[in-house]
Amino acid sequence: MMNRFMQSRLRGLIVLALILIILPAFLANSFHYELVTQMAILAATVVGLNLLVGYAGQISLGHAGFFGLGAYFSGIATGTYGWPSVPALLVGAILVAIIAWVVGRPILRLKGHYLSMATLAVGFIIAIILNNERDFTGGPDGMPVPALEVFGWELSAFGQYSLFGLTIEGFQAWYIFASVVLLVAVWFALNLIESPIGRALRSVHGSEVAASVVGVNTAKYKSLVFVISAIYASLMGGLYAHFQGFITPAVASFEFSILFITMVVLGGMGSTFGVILGAVVLKLLPQVLADFQELETVMFGLILMLTMIFMPKGLLPTLTAIVSRRMRKKAGGEA
Amino acid sequence: MLKTMIRRAGKCAAVAAAGLMMMSAQAAEPIKIGSFLSVTGPASFLGDPELKTLEMYVDKINEEGGVLGRELELIHYDDVGNSSSARNFASRLIRSDEVDIIIGGSTTGATMAAVPLIEQARLPFISLAGAVVITTPVKKWVFKTPQSDRMAAERILTDMKDRGITKIGLISGTDGFGSSGRKQTLEVAEEMGVEVLADVTYGGSDTDMSAQLTKIRNTKGVEAVLNFGFGQGPAIVTRNYAQLGTKLPFYQSHGVASDGFLELAGSSAEGLRLPASPLLVPDSLPDDDPQKEVVQNYKAEYESRWDSKVSTFGAYAYDGLMLAVRAIEEAGSTDPEAVREALENIKGYVGVTGEFNMSPEDHNGLDAESFRILEVQNGEWKLIN
Amino acid sequence: MLAEFLQYLFTGITIGATYALIALGFTLIYNASHVINFAQGEFLMIGGMATVSLTAMGVPMVLAVVLAIILAGVLGIALQRLAIAPAKQADVVTLIIITIGASIFIRGIAQVVWGKEYHVMQNFSSDLPIRVFGAVLNSQSLWVLGIGAVVVVALVLFFTKTLTGKAILATSMNKEAARLVGIRTQMVLMLAFMVSALLGAVAGIVVAPITFTSYDIGIILGLKGFVAAAIGGLGSGVGAIVGGIALGIVEAMAAGYISSDYKDAVAFSMILLVLFFMPRGLFGAKVVERV
């Protein structure tokens, strides 16, 4: 039993790694690299959010708040106070974890739409603070963020590096780095899901009352996963800030929170690889639709609506179901 | 199972790649002018006339034989007023479309988000946004056509002082424009010895600002009120101001210098003053004003082509495009460094916004005098000075 | 002092009445289907924009208002039939995303059809403000409050006196039981969306003279409506009204007395506070989770 889990977990990771290795063959220029790097960072964020939404069944409409806090903490600590990046990212994540834990305890007692409402409120308050505290955050016009520096090694999207004798451009180095980050994020999430914590979470999703009756401390597990997903968001927010080189309070906005939750639902709630697909699709769509000019918003809304109506379980789960049904049919025919 | 998963993954990758391929552009014949503007979203009243202006003058220049014998090609993306998409599109323009020059950035946020990238790519960039931070301190590759918000603050406060006003109440939007304008106003006020007794703000989508205005009105000693903001907010402020029956002199910023604002604010706008481009009063300009002809032509051409009122913001794009064309002609090529140098040395270009005198220390090239102070009288703009 | 306080109060009540009308729309749909309709704000936009564009075309005001309301109603039905009904097996959050998609779609169409400008709608009656103890009240505020009250009374009568209204109520209480006694629940859901859309359009029209109107006005007002509905307790009509007006007053008082920078943050903190002590809002029904 355990063995099979191990196998399927590894298999998914290997496929993802292979895609990430093959993908550069299809990338024509540095802009494409940049898009894919952003996709990887956002995907890692929603992999974390999915733990909360997909497995524990708790909807957050304010996750961009944590993402924005992480981004601004990294930006301010490195930019204004000259901290190295790694401690900035880590301390930011710890602070966000504490905030998430403090607000999480009372909020997570709420059910359904009230929980959405409360998370929305938390996200909004964070965004308002970032927008108003101009002296620290630069206000609505945003602030520049220095390049990421990993143990004395500066990772700038504009630099040039040599790796094992090969010269690689900064954007390629970022791509490799973001790919590794995504793989680690996925690996951690998959392990968590199959751990006793993960099983407890799923029981909370099924029925909270039932879970608590059989002795699962639902409040504790919900808080825990809320904090973990906030840490994911904070770390990725920090990386995003370093990669972008410039952030505005939009990274903490309600629109961004909605984007995150849409990535999860569109890709497939509860499917770690599904939400990655969700992030890819939603990041790619505006670029592909850019040529429609005025009709861009119409098309985007229509695609979003139709996908969710006809694939309510999300892209990946629905596609997987179709493929496996076909395979079964084929196997049946051959036998 | 593994095989099918790989196959499936391959398919996904192929679809994604096809998506990416579609976006790459080809051919390097024409001069490529890249642009990212907020054509939709909350700042669309900036981006929309800007795009219309660029489209129409690129067409016009091409009909007249192009620049250096080459056609202009406009490559445009809509950043929806979102600075991170502005950055993405700037990147796409630079790296994927490989444009020769970028004119764009309707808002300061969008501009500043793209600046680090553009500086690294070493490409001339003419911003259409207002805040003073864009060109102060000077950034090697970044220019801008609108007057800065600091100049607007200087012009307004000077006019106030001329009327003997030294104590004011300030109300500003919390968006980028309002917040930067507020900061500049506070700084300039301090230098000029004007006291800001009340300082309140409103959100970009607020629907009633009576509470904030009541607070200003009840602050003792306030002699005039200044609203720094753009969009529909200042129109609501203006109407609330009139409803509350406030009698103090009222000033708006150049952020609302358009006929659209007059329509929204209606009779409430009567008597208010603001700094604006001469574009709003082309016929009141004295005949010896060098800008008169440029301004009248732009207004006539825009209004006959688009069947909508001309706006100051479109004029920023007009000046941006003309500066770019002039620099490319002077450089004799599209070599980025040559174009940049030519831009930096443009002197005496008379545009719709004002007369541009660029220098290595000044990448805006305008002075505060290029703003005219206008007053609303009988529902129309009236040139004061 | 009194004048200042009254001014904040008037401002708050006017904004609050708008929020309350939008919140009522959320409540109606929530009751019938347990869906939070994020496209609610778009009905408001349709009401205002359609009225403005029809009057600009020369249609008399009253007719324009009626047509705009009908348009919104048709849109409400279309939303339920074409987007919500086909996905009835979907998760709650999936339905939310569908309504978000719908709102982006509707907004996109409105932008193409009507353009991006803000538009003015004239006050229904005099432009002159009314003075009360030194505070000023916009005459349109009285229209908002008056029409709001009429709408509420009409809704109460609809739900308590008409068969259709009772059917909607029954369905919201227990769908299965309602079906068993012969209520066509799909029909009822459609009705709920329609009435909610009508309500949104009415709100959009009465507030347009105060707020102006444009293709994107629905985003923030819709959100505030949801907030108001949650404060009051989802599903409670009284809650929607109290929640809306409370939210408006808190915003105005915070802008006046605390900090205009943080007035929205104060409002959102209030929500958290309410929910900490009353996890189902002020008037929300106690629902026991079924195992």
Side-chain angles (χ1 to χ4, degrees), chain B residues 42-365:
Chain B
S44 63
F45 64 95
L46 300 171
D48 189 58
E50 286 164 357
L51 177 61
K52 283 181 172 153
T53 303
L54 287 182
E55 280 177 346
M56 109 188 222
Y57 282 98
V58 162
D59 285 351
K60 187 169 177 231
I61 291 169
N62 284 339
E63 274 163 29
E64 291 166 0
V67 178
L68 302 178
R70 292 162 70 183
E71 287 232 310
L72 296 183
E73 182 191 345
L74 179 67
I75 301 170
H76 167 261
Y77 300 109
D78 177 9
D79 65 32
V80 212
N82 175 327
S83 54
S84 70
S85 26
R87 186 193 176 281
N88 277 342
F89 283 125
S91 164
R92 185 167 169 180
L93 288 168
I94 297 167
R95 295 165 171 176
S96 200
D97 303 321
E98 297 176 339
V99 298
D100 296 304
I101 188 168
I102 297 181
I103 302 170
S106 303
T107 64
T108 302
T111 297
M112 292 306 284
V115 160
L117 199 77
I118 292 171
E119 286 275 301
Q120 286 289 344
R122 312 170 67 78
L123 201 68
F125 171 43
I126 303 176
S127 163
L128 309 181
V132 70
V133 291
I134 297 171
T135 49
T136 319
V138 173
K139 294 163 195 67
K140 194 171 175 204
W141 297 89
V142 183
F143 299 82
K144 80 185 191 84
T145 53
Q147 298 95 338
S148 70
D149 41 9
R150 189 180 179 85
M151 286 177 203
E154 281 169 11
R155 202 74 170 82
I156 294 168
L157 293 178
T158 311
D159 190 64
M160 286 179 175
K161 281 190 90 174
D162 289 348
R163 292 166 91 180
I165 294 163
T166 54
K167 297 185 175 69
I168 64 166
L170 176 63
I171 175 167
S172 53
T174 52
D175 50 59
F177 182 85
S179 144
S180 171
R182 171 183 169 275
K183 190 166 161 244
Q184 299 307 324
T185 306
L186 293 177
E187 283 178 20
V188 173
E190 185 157 340
E191 284 166 22
M192 293 178 55
V194 173
E195 274 182 86
V196 180
L197 297 178
D199 174 16
V200 297
T201 61
Y202 55 84
S205 42
D206 284 3
T207 53
D208 191 315
M209 287 68 153
S210 305
Q212 288 92 324
L213 288 170
T214 304
K215 197 173 176 187
I216 293 185
R217 202 178 55 162
N218 290 351
T219 307
K220 278 201 181 63
V222 172
E223 295 166 347
V225 180
L226 166 59
N227 178 201
F228 228 112
F230 72 17
Q232 87 291 4
I236 298 179
V237 170
T238 306
R239 296 217 314 200
N240 292 159
Y241 193 82
Q243 275 156 13
L244 290 172
T246 324
K247 294 280 178 276
L248 302 171
F250 186 45
Y251 285 79
Q252 284 283 352
S253 73
H254 58 306
V256 295
S258 69
D259 290 332
F261 168 74
L262 277 191
E263 268 169 45
L264 286 185
S267 60
S268 321
E270 207 56 31
L272 72 75
R273 287 189 177 190
L274 50 66
S277 144
L279 185 58
L280 293 179
V281 286
D283 302 325
S284 317
L285 293 177
D287 285 333
D288 60 346
D289 191 316
Q291 273 182 272
K292 185 161 185 164
E293 194 192 335
V294 188
V295 169
Q296 280 178 330
N297 286 345
Y298 172 64
K299 186 177 159 76
E301 281 166 348
Y302 185 95
E303 290 181 351
S304 71
R305 164 77 192 266
W306 296 107
D307 191 31
S308 65
K309 285 271 191 170
V310 72
S311 106
T312 322
F313 316 117
Y316 299 153
Y318 173 87
D319 288 336
L321 182 64
M322 293 308 157
L323 284 170
V325 166
R326 185 159 164 166
I328 291 170
E329 274 169 351
E330 240 149 72
S333 76
T334 51
D335 173 57
E337 180 58 47
V339 174
R340 192 200 74 80
E341 264 206 56
L343 262 177
E344 197 168 78
N345 290 310
I346 285 181
K347 294 267 186 285
Y349 160 70
V350 178
V352 178
T353 313
E355 184 181 320
F356 290 83
N357 290 298
M358 299 280 186
S359 73
E361 295 79 40
D362 183 2
H363 277 193
N364 179 202

Side-chain angles (χ1 to χ4, degrees), chain C residues 29-51:
Chain C
I29 290 183
Y30 178 81
N31 267 340
S33 65
H34 284 252
V35 173
I36 290 289
N37 174 27
F38 272 88
Q40 191 65 31
E42 306 315 321
F43 297 140
L44 186 101
M45 177 272 290
I46 293 282
M49 285 303 289
T51 308

Side-chain angles (χ1 to χ4, degrees), chain A residues 162-173:
Chain A
S162 96
L163 195 71
F164 309 122
L166 285 168
T167 308
I168 56 166
E169 300 290 333
F171 55 86
Q172 289 168 321

Side-chain angles (χ1 to χ4, degrees), chain C residues 115-144:
Chain C
K116 286 164 286 201
E117 291 84 20
Y118 271 81
H119 297 276
V120 194
M121 196 193 285
Q122 292 310 317
N123 269 4
F124 291 2
S125 51
S126 142
D127 270 338
L128 291 176
I130 300 152
R131 302 195 158 269
V132 187
F133 298 118
V136 176
L137 186 61
N138 184 345
S139 67
Q140 189 66 24
S141 299
L142 292 180
W143 278 99
V144 175

Side-chain angles (χ1 to χ4, degrees), chain A residues 1-20:
Chain A
M1 183 73 178
M2 208 48 223
N3 202 17
R4 243 197 13 240
F5 272 134
M6 279 296 285
Q7 275 183 353
S8 68
R9 226 183 305 171
L10 265 180
R11 202 151 54 193
L13 264 179
I14 291 171
V15 173
L16 180 64
L18 283 177
I19 294 176
L20 289 168

